[in-house]
Amino acid sequence: MKLYTYFRSSAAYRLRIALNLKGLAYESVPIHLTKDGGRQHSAEYRAVNPQRRVPALVLDNGEVLPQSMAIMEYLDEVYPSPRFLPADPIARAKVRAFADVIACDIHPVNNLAQLQYLKRKLNQEQPAIDAWYHHWVLEGFAALETMIRPGPYCFGSEVTLADICLVPQMYNARRLKVPLDSFPKLVAADAALLKLAPFDKARPENQPDAE
Ligand SMILES: N[C@@H](CCC(=O)N[C@@H](CS)C(=O)NCC(=O)O)C(=O)O
């Protein structure tokens, strides 16, 4: 398999963790999201993913899958062990809800394209853009802090989709200097997860395109 990725992309980071957890080997194809105006906009990459976002996973049969959450569902269906979702339907819904706060509520308003739009089209200054980013992360993390269950991971002793989404979002929050003191449970789960080899191997600084 071939993964179009960028070391700092939190959506691609999810996929790197997911592939490592499933024990699946993949080739990394880095797409630099800011060099040359963003190489996700190149004709070559548009042919892979017309949405011009990473990640995209190319399967061995040549099929291209975009969207990290859809790809992780695919992986869990085709390679069921270890599973990303608990067997119990209520527990599954809770894990999905946690993951959705990140994937549907926090990440989409704070992505590169949205922050660039605030700057370039709406003429906002960097402090206003930083305030926007911090606001949506703090609001989302406040909800997650109430949703998380006793650890060491987000929902007990099995790693789930919630954990796969949490770690990249925490990395992103730290990179953009969001204070995390009000979220001791999230911080503890993140620290426990980063001790696991599949998470460690997926860290941005451990990628071939890291800067
Ligand atoms: N919902 C998508 C989000 C993908 C996404 O927005 N990726 C970002 C990097 S984290 C990206 O490629 N941004 C390029 C841009 O904003 O131009 C997913 O989960 O895969």
Side-chain angles (χ1 to χ4, degrees):
M1 284 187 267
K2 207 155 76 171
L3 178 68
Y4 287 89
T5 176
Y6 176 57
F7 75 110
R8 274 199 196 114
S9 153
S10 49
Y13 190 174
R14 290 175 203 152
L15 246 291
R16 298 195 299 262
I17 297 169
L19 288 162
N20 293 343
L21 283 168
K22 296 287 188 191
L24 297 169
Y26 65 91
E27 177 197 343
S28 281
V29 184
I31 298 295
H32 204 292
L33 296 186
T34 59
K35 269 190 194 155
D36 305 327
R39 291 182 185 151
Q40 70 276 30
H41 304 298
S42 67
E44 198 185 1
Y45 189 63
R46 270 172 200 245
V48 176
N49 182 2
Q51 201 196 356
R52 297 172 288 147
R53 302 275 174 104
V54 293
L57 186 70
V58 186
L59 305 181
D60 290 339
N61 66 5
E63 280 290 349
V64 182
L65 301 180
Q67 288 289 342
S68 65
M69 303 307 280
I71 304 170
M72 289 195 288
E73 254 183 64
Y74 163 83
L75 292 176
D76 214 27
E77 284 162 7
V78 176
Y79 307 96
S81 179
R83 63 184 178 210
F84 290 161
L85 290 165
D88 173 67
I90 301 262
R92 284 169 92 86
K94 288 185 177 174
V95 166
R96 282 193 165 117
F98 187 101
D100 283 356
V101 170
I102 296 169
C104 306
D105 298 339
I106 300 177
H107 183 267
V109 291
N110 280 336
N111 191 17
L112 179 66
Q114 284 69 28
L115 301 183
Q116 283 178 342
Y117 187 83
L118 288 174
K119 184 171 222 158
R120 295 173 184 172
K121 299 279 185 207
L122 302 183
N123 301 316
Q124 296 300 306
E125 301 293 339
Q126 198 56 46
I129 297 170
D130 292 344
W132 166 280
Y133 178 91
H134 282 218
H135 173 78
W136 296 115
V137 171
L138 289 170
E139 177 151 300
F141 278 11
L144 294 178
E145 185 73 9
T146 69
M147 295 164 82
I148 197 167
R149 289 292 162 259
Y153 311 132
C154 291
F155 288 86
S157 57
E158 276 187 30
V159 171
T160 68
L161 198 63
D163 301 297
I164 301 174
C165 290
L166 176 68
V167 166
Q169 191 60 60
M170 294 288 279
Y171 159 80
N172 213 269
R174 284 199 184 94
R175 191 166 76 80
L176 292 156
K177 304 197 170 23
V178 177
L180 298 175
D181 327 327
S182 309
F183 314 113
K185 292 181 191 165
L186 301 183
V187 168
D190 179 58
L193 289 158
L194 283 169
K195 289 189 186 136
L196 303 176
F199 283 79
D200 184 56
K201 202 172 143 195
R203 283 175 190 256
E205 58 270 31
N206 293 339
Q207 303 315 303
D209 58 330
E211 289 166 2

